[in-house]
Amino acid sequence: IYHLPAHTPIDFIPNPIHIPDPDTIDFSHKKTQVVFLGRLDSVKRPWIIGEIAKKMPKYDFYFAGDCHEQVMNNIMAPYRKISNCHFLGHIEGKEKDQLLRESMILINTSIHEAIPVSFLEALSYGLLIVSNRNPDDLTSQFGYYTQQINGNGYTSINEFIQGIQSIIRNQKSYYEKAQQAMSYVHTVHSIEHFIQNIRQIIIDEYNNTAK
């Protein structure tokens, strides 16, 4: 795209996010609840989660995001009547912090994604991911990857259900992967790590320019 020479050094700087102190994450407070973190727009296909909730009445599903398309308000309206579906709207601060501290799973049903910040935020709180997207192998490492699902996704309901059940029913595996996920995000995506890398890039560029 930019017609750079082949030898041009390119630094990889992962997204920095605010990360909670891992020592403050109390796994005894985790509940069998699933979180969708993002806007309720058509590209995200949140209706898949509503259909999953219908078949899993013993588990609570939290939608943390708003609809920005009128058609999506209409599509999601029936799911608002389901007792185990909780629509929180856009949340931040303490409310979001508490939700992530108490949840076990982040579900993502998007038709396409890069690396969602929601993935990184969830992993930093010890949530595992169930998704049909697997950026940087994050889902397969720290959760359940359903493989890519195109179209409206209605045929994928059972695959997502299997993923949720496999995580919740295997508490030992969940705990081990959650610890690994928190360690990964703390090491790779912390603000401190980002600042160190950026500073080094600036110093190196300055030294090269000064020569």
Side-chain angles (χ1 to χ4, degrees):
I1 293 175
Y2 299 105
H3 304 289
L4 296 172
H7 65 274
T8 303
I10 304 295
D11 292 280
F12 174 64
I13 306 297
N15 284 346
I17 64 167
H18 289 284
I19 297 171
D21 183 346
D23 293 334
T24 68
I25 304 299
D26 188 345
F27 282 87
S28 68
H29 291 166
K30 293 285 187 182
K31 303 175 184 178
T32 53
Q33 59 190 40
V34 181
V35 174
F36 172 78
L37 196 61
R39 65 189 193 276
L40 303 180
D41 292 345
S42 54
V43 70
K44 303 294 186 180
R45 303 186 296 186
W47 57 81
I48 296 176
I49 304 168
E51 293 298 321
I52 294 169
K54 285 182 182 180
K55 295 190 175 186
M56 304 186 79
K58 294 183 179 180
Y59 302 109
D60 287 307
F61 291 78
Y62 288 83
F63 295 79
D66 291 319
C67 291
H68 298 93
E69 306 165 357
Q70 183 55 48
V71 65
M72 286 305 300
N73 280 316
N74 298 336
I75 290 173
M76 297 307 294
Y79 302 112
R80 295 180 184 273
K81 300 175 183 179
I82 300 175
S83 61
N84 63 325
C85 285
H86 311 277
F87 289 82
L88 307 178
H90 179 75
I91 60 172
E92 294 181 352
K94 292 182 178 179
E95 187 178 7
K96 182 178 179 181
D97 177 77
Q98 181 178 350
L99 176 66
L100 294 178
R101 287 180 184 276
E102 294 180 350
S103 301
M104 290 182 65
I105 294 173
L106 177 84
I107 188 168
N108 179 283
T109 50
S110 297
I111 195 73
H112 60 77
E113 290 279 10
I115 297 182
V117 172
S118 62
F119 277 31
L120 305 179
E121 290 178 330
L123 294 174
S124 74
Y125 280 83
L127 282 75
L128 299 187
I129 301 167
V130 175
S131 178
N132 75 137
R133 303 300 302 159
N134 190 31
D136 279 7
D137 296 327
L138 289 178
T139 306
S140 55
Q141 286 186 77
F142 307 120
Y144 185 94
Y145 175 41
T146 67
Q147 303 299 318
Q148 174 59 15
I149 296 165
N150 297 319
N152 58 31
Y154 284 112
T155 59
S156 68
I157 307 303
N158 289 336
E159 185 70 18
F160 278 100
I161 290 174
Q162 182 177 333
I164 293 169
Q165 290 176 335
S166 68
I167 290 174
I168 291 178
R169 290 176 178 176
N170 193 335
Q171 291 290 314
K172 181 180 179 181
S173 175
Y174 160 72
Y175 179 76
E176 291 174 352
K177 286 187 177 180
Q179 293 285 353
Q180 293 168 8
M182 290 192 297
S183 177
Y184 163 78
V185 177
H186 189 271
T187 301
V188 178
H189 292 277
S190 69
I191 292 176
E192 292 79 8
H193 184 70
F194 176 82
I195 291 174
Q196 290 172 5
N197 282 321
I198 286 294
R199 283 178 175 170
Q200 191 59 53
I201 290 171
I202 294 172
I203 290 170
D204 291 344
E205 183 62 26
Y206 175 81
N207 291 335
N208 289 334
T209 303
K211 290 180 181 180

